[in-house]
Amino acid sequence: MAGGLAGTATDVILYPIDTVKTRLISGRPLLGSSSLWSGIGVSVMPAIPAAATFFTVYEATKHRTARLTGADPSDTLPSAIAAALAESFSCVVRVPFEQLKMRMQASRRVSLPTLFRQRGMGGGMAQLYRGLAPTLALDLPFALVQLPAFEHLKRRFGADDDAAGGAAGGSVRAE
């Protein structure tokens, strides 16, 4: 739950910057400041389910892989396998919302129902998952570094000090 709330807070804080980036890439003009928030609901909706999916799959896979290999759950192999699988499942939850969010950011004040009618979302689910492969190509390497680093640092600093391990493991991310 904490991960979902942290992800939601990050999405809300960084959303206007993401909107500016999307509009610059798409060649759309930067309109008034209120338009910077166009599509925020679609962006925030998947944060908690995606985080819940990630951590549920991560913990279950890490422990099952450790049992199968005879390794400690915090070793590199179980945490790397768990991170890859968890990130993949999380992306399946997140990517459709990312597609919708980018289309809403690039458009001029368009609602979600209008987006489905006017913007060629007629491809159904396949259209919503169009960005899955590039998202996985970007997010999987990060997860394969961050989570094993987190587990290693958590073990090194003590199991009770999740904050120190999380800060150190998360510090390797450069976006």
Side-chain angles (χ1 to χ4, degrees), residues 43-163:
S43 178
V44 172
M45 275 193 297
I48 291 175
T53 300
F54 180 89
F55 287 108
T56 300
V57 172
Y58 178 74
E59 289 299 326
T61 304
K62 179 176 73 169
H63 290 287
R64 182 168 178 115
T65 303
R67 274 194 310 274
L68 291 172
T69 62
D72 186 87
S74 64
D75 286 349
T76 301
L77 181 64
S79 60
I81 291 170
L85 197 58
E87 190 62 39
S88 298
F89 275 86
S90 179
C91 284
V92 168
V93 173
R94 257 190 359 256
V95 164
F97 292 95
E98 281 293 316
Q99 289 292 321
L100 294 171
K101 177 194 80 165
M102 287 187 294
R103 288 166 190 209
M104 290 180 83
Q105 286 175 325
S107 300
R108 293 180 189 231
R109 293 196 175 115
V110 64
S111 69
L112 194 55
T114 302
L115 182 66
F116 275 104
R117 280 193 313 274
Q118 294 177 348
R119 293 287 173 158
M121 294 305 288
M125 293 303 285
Q127 185 71 13
L128 290 175
Y129 282 99
R130 198 168 134 206
L132 183 60
T135 301
L136 286 169
L138 180 68
D139 291 356
L140 281 176
F142 164 67
L144 287 169
V145 171
Q146 184 193 33
L147 276 296
F150 168 74
E151 293 292 347
H152 171 76
L153 293 168
K154 188 169 79 168
R155 189 173 56 231
R156 180 162 185 213
F157 290 113
D160 293 335
D161 198 357
D162 282 350

